[in-house]
Amino acid sequence: MKLSSRGGALLLLAPGRAAAGAAVLCAPGPAPARPRLPAAPTRAVARWRDRRPSLPGPGATSPGVQRRRPPGRRGAARLEKLARRPGEPRSFQGVLPPELWIHLAVVACGNRLEETLVMLKSAVLFSHRKIQFHIFTEDSLKPEFDKQLRQWPDSYTKKFEHRIYPITFSVGNPQEWKKLFKPCAAQRLFLPVILKDVDSLLYVDTDVLFLRPVDDIWKLLRLFNSTQLAAMAPEHEIPKIGWYSRFARHPFYGSAGVNSGVMLMNLTRIRSTQFKNSMIPTGLAWEDMLYPLYQKYKNAITWGDQDLLNIIFYFNPECLYVFPCQWNYRPDHCMYGSNCREAEHEGVSVLHGNRGVYHDDKQPTFKALYEAIRDFPFQDNLFQSMYYPFIFLKQIEKTMKRAYEKHVIIHVGPNQMH
């Protein structure tokens, strides 16, 4: 973990933030206040009550498509009563109809089995609602995924169902797509085509960890306006040190591009939209656009499918909702000092350990969080096993800051000033 000029670069769990994620202190010190995201209702009753025609929800479709009417207040109250056992908190998880489940997709090839299982474990540990896992993987990994997930305790397996899919590409050369950047990563581009019966979806990379309920990021779908159909976080907060703004040889979204490691998608809208592009004057459907787009830019892209998504939303900026960096917090937000203010104020919601930091010593706190979730026995007390030990990192931060100030900072005297 690198040190900034303002002290130790540490990601910490602060008291009172267990539900909101990990607080991050990459560069200690005051920061200007920013408005927080609108508070979202936490129960299905509130979800039905707050839906407005002017603010489409996860299932928003084109005009004329009929939506199933939600149950009335009495019906919702009966569902809530049935969902609870004596002494349990209010929850709809047990009786939610399938259309109200959270859908989570991941693509795992090569040596990504453990990382993926740890990611899924973090989702189950903190979630409230039922989750449908969509796991895309190679044939050799399918049996192990199924075996491992079925071995989890009943108290957790009842919170999710899983489906395992083969790696498939509907257009172009499958081998070309499979080798584009990371193995199989381009599969995410084809999710709207493959998951035809899924309305909305959260895609994450295998090296992602949820530090708060998945339900919370799922609620961001409600913030989409009438044209938005996907959501991602910026690739960087500061364009002058961002990769796209300095090196990209192709169009990209905004001033610094977007990172596709955490991506919310309204698949219904994606399937029904004609996308503007640089190939023909008229729009193209999502599936019809992918291969021609790849052929045009394949000699200019570096990060594979993420670059293609940046190109798509460069030409269709009105289709993208950009969520804050706390929902896709990466080592890049700590490497050059703290540059994710949302995480400083709200805590890290979704941790993205790219650059392999879960498996080396370059970012010790990322690695420690990964190992804590990986090694957590389901039967143990969550607070004692995971949260409480990280409180001791506060003292480590103080020690590192003192050492840094003693050995690195040079106090300049008046005679040396210019």
Side-chain angles (χ1 to χ4, degrees):
M1 185 74 70
K2 295 186 178 181
L3 293 176
S4 72
S5 60
R6 298 171 64 190
L10 284 177
L11 181 146
L12 304 176
L13 288 173
R17 290 195 181 255
V24 64
L25 298 176
C26 286
R34 287 194 177 189
R36 298 188 178 186
L37 285 171
T42 58
R43 297 190 176 93
V45 176
R47 182 174 187 268
W48 293 321
R49 181 192 66 218
D50 291 347
R51 183 174 292 159
R52 300 286 188 270
S54 60
L55 189 63
T61 58
S62 57
V65 177
Q66 298 296 315
R67 186 190 298 276
R68 181 182 298 177
R69 176 174 292 180
R73 184 172 297 177
R74 290 184 180 179
R78 284 196 297 269
L79 283 178
E80 186 173 359
K81 186 176 180 180
L82 287 172
R84 282 183 289 143
R85 295 177 182 176
E88 283 188 341
R90 292 171 178 262
S91 172
F92 273 78
Q93 141 190 322
V95 294
L96 278 176
E99 62 266 25
L100 293 182
W101 289 12
I102 294 170
H103 289 264
L104 177 65
V106 64
V107 180
C109 288
N111 62 349
R112 300 290 179 145
L113 174 68
E114 181 191 277
E115 264 190 6
T116 307
L117 289 169
V118 176
M119 180 275 291
L120 297 175
K121 186 177 183 180
S122 72
V124 170
L125 283 175
F126 304 122
S127 67
H128 302 307
R129 286 166 56 179
K130 198 159 184 176
I131 307 176
Q132 176 72 62
F133 293 146
H134 301 272
I135 303 168
F136 292 81
T137 190
E138 299 166 304
D139 291 342
S140 59
L141 295 179
K142 288 180 184 178
E144 193 62 24
F145 268 118
D146 193 59
K147 174 185 173 183
Q148 293 283 345
L149 291 172
R150 293 184 187 278
Q151 287 178 348
W152 290 0
D154 292 343
S155 58
Y156 288 95
T157 56
K158 70 180 182 181
K159 297 174 68 174
F160 72 91
E161 291 185 4
H162 69 278
R163 297 178 185 174
I164 302 177
Y165 306 80
I167 302 296
T168 56
F169 304 99
S170 57
V171 296
N173 183 336
Q175 291 305 313
E176 226 177 349
W177 284 118
K178 190 172 182 179
K179 295 177 182 178
L180 184 64
F181 190 47
K182 294 181 181 178
C184 306
Q187 181 72 76
R188 86 182 84 178
L189 296 173
F190 295 86
L191 297 179
V193 181
I194 299 170
L195 302 177
K196 294 183 182 297
D197 61 339
V198 176
D199 176 72
S200 294
L201 184 74
L202 172 62
Y203 166 86
V204 296
D205 284 348
T206 62
D207 50 9
V208 159
L209 294 175
F210 295 97
L211 303 184
R212 65 188 290 177
V214 184
D215 316 48
D216 293 341
I217 190 170
W218 189 255
K219 290 171 187 172
L220 297 182
L221 285 162
R222 300 188 214 166
L223 303 184
F224 285 17
N225 64 25
S226 59
T227 64
Q228 291 165 340
L229 47 76
M232 288 181 275
E235 171 66 21
H236 213 286
E237 300 300 301
I238 306 173
K240 67 180 181 181
I241 60 175
W243 192 92
Y244 283 107
S245 50
R246 291 187 295 164
F247 305 117
R249 295 179 293 131
H250 58 78
F252 56 90
Y253 178 87
S255 60
V258 285
N259 184 281
S260 60
V262 180
M263 184 178 179
L264 269 173
M265 293 179 278
N266 185 317
L267 300 184
T268 299
R269 289 186 177 183
I270 291 175
R271 288 188 288 261
S272 62
T273 298
Q274 295 290 308
F275 291 87
K276 298 187 292 290
N277 59 87
S278 59
M279 297 166 288
I280 62 173
T282 58
L284 283 171
W286 184 268
E287 184 178 17
D288 298 334
M289 173 177 55
L290 293 178
Y291 194 62
L293 195 71
Y294 167 67
Q295 288 295 317
K296 178 172 182 177
Y297 291 103
K298 65 180 181 181
N299 293 323
I301 61 177
T302 301
W303 308 113
D305 51 301
Q306 177 173 289
D307 290 346
L308 293 179
L309 288 167
N310 267 279
I311 295 168
I312 291 171
F313 290 109
Y314 169 84
F315 289 105
N316 300 271
E318 73 283 358
C319 293
L320 187 66
Y321 176 86
V322 179
F323 51 67
C325 49
Q326 71 187 76
W327 299 101
N328 187 353
Y329 188 88
R330 291 167 286 119
D332 306 64
H333 293 114
C334 267
M335 289 172 62
Y336 310 108
S338 176
N339 53 59
C340 179
R341 289 182 178 176
E342 286 82 0
E344 292 178 7
H345 290 289
E346 302 292 334
V348 174
S349 299
V350 178
L351 191 71
H352 185 180
N354 64 338
R355 301 178 182 267
V357 295
Y358 294 149
H359 312 292
D360 59 31
D361 297 320
K362 295 180 180 178
Q363 297 282 354
T365 313
F366 280 71
K367 183 179 181 181
L369 280 167
Y370 174 82
E371 292 178 348
I373 295 175
R374 181 196 64 191
D375 300 335
F376 170 69
F378 283 104
Q379 293 81 7
D380 279 12
N381 180 283
L382 190 64
F383 179 86
Q384 290 180 346
S385 295
M386 291 180 55
Y387 173 72
Y388 184 71
F390 280 95
I391 295 175
F392 293 100
L393 283 177
K394 291 183 177 181
Q395 189 58 47
I396 297 176
E397 185 213 1
K398 293 178 182 178
T399 303
M400 290 179 65
K401 185 176 181 180
R402 286 196 299 268
Y404 178 79
E405 292 173 344
K406 181 178 180 180
H407 298 292
V408 178
I409 295 179
I410 300 175
H411 299 282
V412 179
N415 297 332
Q416 296 172 288
M417 301 283 288
H418 294 285

